[in-house]
Amino acid sequence: MRAGKETTMAYIVKQPAGKGRVNIFLAENHHCPEKKSSRQTRKYIGGLDVASGELLLCAKLAEPDAGLLELLAKKDISYNGRRSGRVGRRRIRPERPARREEIIEAVRAAKVEERGRVDALEHLAEESGLAGALRVAYGDALGGRMLSAAVYQSSEGMPLYLAGEWAEETGVDGGMSSPTLSRTLSDVGGDAASLDSFFSAWIKACGTPRALIHDTTSFSSYSDRLEMVEWGYNRDKEKLPQINMALAADRDTGRPVWFRIVPGSVPDVATLALTLRELSALGLSDVSLSLDRGYFSRLNALGLHDSKLGFTIGVPPSGAEAQRLIHSSLGKLASPESSFLHGGRRLRHVDGQYAIKRDDGGEVFFPAHVFLDPERREDMAGKLEASVLELEEMFSDRRFESEDAAARAIIEDSGPLAKHLVPAKAGRQWRIARDNKFISKTTAAFCVGVVLTSKAGMRATDVLSEYRCRDIAEKMFDTAKNGVGANRLRTGDEDQARGR
């Protein structure tokens, strides 16, 4: 990349050379957005041993670096140190002069299209019903272009504006140039009715799932001109405005079935009621939800209870009722009687009830499950105690004239561990010591979590499986952000951002 203006995309090209030989080139496409121009350079790097699929490196070239080896691997070409023994391409002299028409025909016949990944992904799209849902909602042309763009990003992970060259290499139908894809994003983003039609068709293709995972993530934006982009809690810890995306996925198959865009400043707890209404309108009214504790609030819990939906939802441990339930369960959690195995790991579990007050003064009691990971707690408690002991040793030679002076020194010199230290009497002076009771109380609640369910009597393993399956959504978010490079919005156009 030069001066932040020109971008370079490198890839390997196999070119038949006649008589069964294949030449290998390193091709680089140079694109300059400011000049709206592209150019390509090619460098000969060797021949292909067709039998073994190995590169025979050109004699004059240095050993391939990691980047070149990665590009070769994408083309299923290995390199094992073999060289061709020649410093350049062998020139093939024709037995007789060829006419211009024959040369043109030979070039056309020599064209190579790489269809493997494209055919596989398009087959999966047809088999799953995704391609059909796109055609129903957007028609053959626009729906096909959307699918091709998705196949391109899934297989290449490169920016959309480079899809045109990929389409030529793979034989994908036209309409993949950068200007055309920009118009496609605008058309898709400005058509809310077609998006609803797509969701309806896609949900039916997925078998109208009844067990859903619901989660939210944020996408940062380089532009602050979008109405939906706002400052809020950025999950990627970036100092950028953002939009949020709420996602529903099939718990059994792991497929995403629905999403919606949420303004960046709207917290998760405020999105659940609207999500439930939109899912109901799409035919998903009788569902069971797995929800992160970020969705927990008194009103959300009561709303889930009154809607008669099935659910598992985590509870933040800082609330008064959660603290009551955790501390009342610590005695039972200390006993091996509460132990069970989940995925080969030893955990502990206690049943309980979680009370939530209504506005009219009445109470609703939710089946609650308190879990403890004893091995992880021991590890965290050991690290905390070691840190506090190091601080105590640091203060061991210091004495203070008053309790207040010792307390000020704790605050000034102990940082976040200050609450684990206390002033202690040392004759007529004061010293600093660890607060053993507070440390014990703190570490006792380490790695203890509370999960509420809609059904009483559920087994601990079933509750944990339903709750932890939210990892499916996290993997989808990671793929969208890091696998296909959609972690940031770079446009200031509202419809293009929604279409993206």
Side-chain angles (χ1 to χ4, degrees), residues 149-440:
V151 167
Y152 162 70
Q153 290 233 284
S154 299
S155 60
E156 302 297 324
M158 298 294 290
L160 274 178
Y161 71 85
L162 296 175
E165 294 163 358
W166 167 86
E168 291 181 4
E169 283 191 2
T170 55
V172 170
D173 291 340
M176 296 294 288
S177 66
S178 181
T180 302
L181 286 177
S182 293
R183 290 193 297 271
T184 297
L185 293 178
S186 295
D187 292 342
V188 172
D191 189 355
S194 292
L195 181 60
D196 287 339
S197 297
F198 166 74
F199 283 140
S200 296
W202 174 232
I203 287 170
K204 289 179 182 177
C206 292
T208 313
R210 297 301 177 192
L212 299 178
I213 305 157
H214 186 256
D215 207 346
T216 305
T217 193
S218 59
F219 289 85
S220 301
S221 173
Y222 285 127
S223 173
D224 57 4
R225 292 183 296 163
L226 302 172
E227 288 185 12
M228 58 187 173
V229 167
E230 297 175 353
W231 292 94
Y233 170 64
N234 192 297
R235 290 161 177 80
D236 299 318
K237 312 301 181 186
E238 296 177 326
K239 295 182 179 180
L240 291 170
Q242 66 187 41
I243 63 166
N244 292 333
M245 185 177 78
L247 174 80
D250 185 341
R251 188 195 302 162
D252 296 326
T253 65
R255 291 177 179 174
V257 297
W258 171 90
F259 74 90
R260 71 183 179 92
I261 300 300
V262 183
S265 62
V266 178
D268 291 351
V269 293
T271 68
L272 187 57
L274 181 56
T275 291
L276 294 177
R277 287 198 296 271
E278 292 198 15
L279 290 176
S280 179
L282 292 168
L284 293 172
S285 55
D286 181 21
V287 297
S288 175
L289 294 172
S290 297
L291 299 164
D292 182 77
R293 66 188 186 187
Y295 287 97
F296 182 83
S297 69
R298 183 180 71 89
L299 292 179
N300 276 351
L302 292 173
L304 287 168
H305 175 271
D306 295 342
S307 68
K308 308 301 181 184
L309 293 175
F311 64 86
T312 58
I313 185 170
V315 178
S318 56
E321 181 66 5
Q323 286 287 306
R324 179 201 66 77
L325 185 59
I326 288 172
H327 288 290
S328 66
S329 303
L330 290 177
K332 292 181 179 179
L333 290 172
S335 170
E337 290 184 16
S338 64
S339 296
F340 71 103
L341 287 176
H342 183 78
R345 188 174 182 86
R346 179 176 63 94
L347 302 173
R348 290 183 176 174
H349 166 258
V350 173
D351 288 314
Q353 282 191 327
Y354 190 99
I356 295 181
K357 288 189 176 182
R358 292 188 180 275
D359 291 338
D360 60 7
E363 284 188 317
V364 176
F365 294 93
F366 292 81
H369 302 264
V370 185
F371 293 97
L372 166 68
D373 187 333
E375 294 178 14
R376 187 163 171 245
R377 179 177 68 176
E378 181 61 29
D379 180 58
M380 291 181 63
K383 291 178 179 177
L384 174 65
E385 289 181 21
S387 298
V388 175
L389 289 172
E390 288 178 3
L391 278 174
E392 186 182 45
E393 185 174 349
M394 182 185 75
F395 284 117
S396 61
D397 296 332
R398 296 178 63 179
R399 293 295 182 268
F400 304 89
E401 296 299 323
S402 66
E403 183 179 4
D404 286 344
R408 283 196 301 273
I410 292 174
I411 295 172
E412 292 171 359
D413 299 333
S414 302
L417 293 175
K419 55 188 177 183
H420 299 91
L421 299 169
V422 291
K425 195 72 174 172
R428 296 183 177 182
Q429 294 181 311
W430 292 82
R431 63 183 179 86
I432 293 173
R434 62 183 181 270
D435 187 341
N436 293 315
K437 289 184 178 180
F438 185 81
I439 293 172
S440 297

